[in-house]
Amino acid sequence: FKTTSHSGAILVANSAQESNFLFLYLLNGVLNAVLSTPSSEVTVSVDPATLSLCDGLWKSVTVQVGGGILEVTVLDLDSNVSVMSSMPLSLQNIISLDLYIRFGGVPINSSALLVLQRYGLVDPFFGGCLRN
């Protein structure tokens, strides 16, 4: 992705019942990944102190869930600098997502938006570019 916006939803993956979520979003220039189930939530934040995320330059993001951790790695494609952050997962965090994946925003009438608003994300849309 690349953006100069400091807040917005980049990716939302959820179960068919919209009870389990994986979010990737920017909030005040910090990249956050949230794994949310009805019984627990785990958040991993990538601090932009080492790497500016809102400078309009391309970043590559990898989110991995497995091996008992939620891990987020960001690579600046211009400088080749990478930053990684992770959090351990409990058995309560192990979920199965039915592959409903949305890039670049959250539908206004979805429960995903309500969950993201709890984290302080007001704008549910991503203002920038995404590419594979």
Side-chain angles (χ1 to χ4, degrees), residues 3-4 17 28-29 34 54 56 70 73 75 80 85 104 127 129:
T3 187
T4 55
Q17 299 80 22
N28 300 322
V34 177
C54 307
L70 171 60
T73 304
L75 171 65
N80 213 29
S85 185
C129 299

Side-chain angles (χ1 to χ4, degrees), residues 65-83:
V65 179
I69 63 167
L70 171 60
E71 180 180 283
V72 178
T73 304
V74 180
L75 171 65
D76 185 304
L77 297 176
D78 291 317
S79 67
N80 213 29
V81 172
S82 67
V83 178

Side-chain angles (χ1 to χ4, degrees), residues 54-110:
C54 307
D55 56 8
L57 301 175
W58 284 107
K59 310 292 184 278
S60 174
V61 179
T62 304
V63 178
Q64 293 183 321
V65 179
I69 63 167
L70 171 60
E71 180 180 283
V72 178
T73 304
V74 180
L75 171 65
D76 185 304
L77 297 176
D78 291 317
S79 67
N80 213 29
V81 172
S82 67
V83 178
M84 189 271 298
S85 185
S86 64
M87 285 289 283
L89 297 173
S90 68
L91 288 177
Q92 294 174 325
N93 301 115
I94 305 304
I95 64 173
S96 174
L97 299 176
D98 298 332
L99 298 179
Y100 289 98
I101 300 174
R102 295 176 180 90
F103 293 94
V106 182
I108 298 298
N109 60 351
S110 73

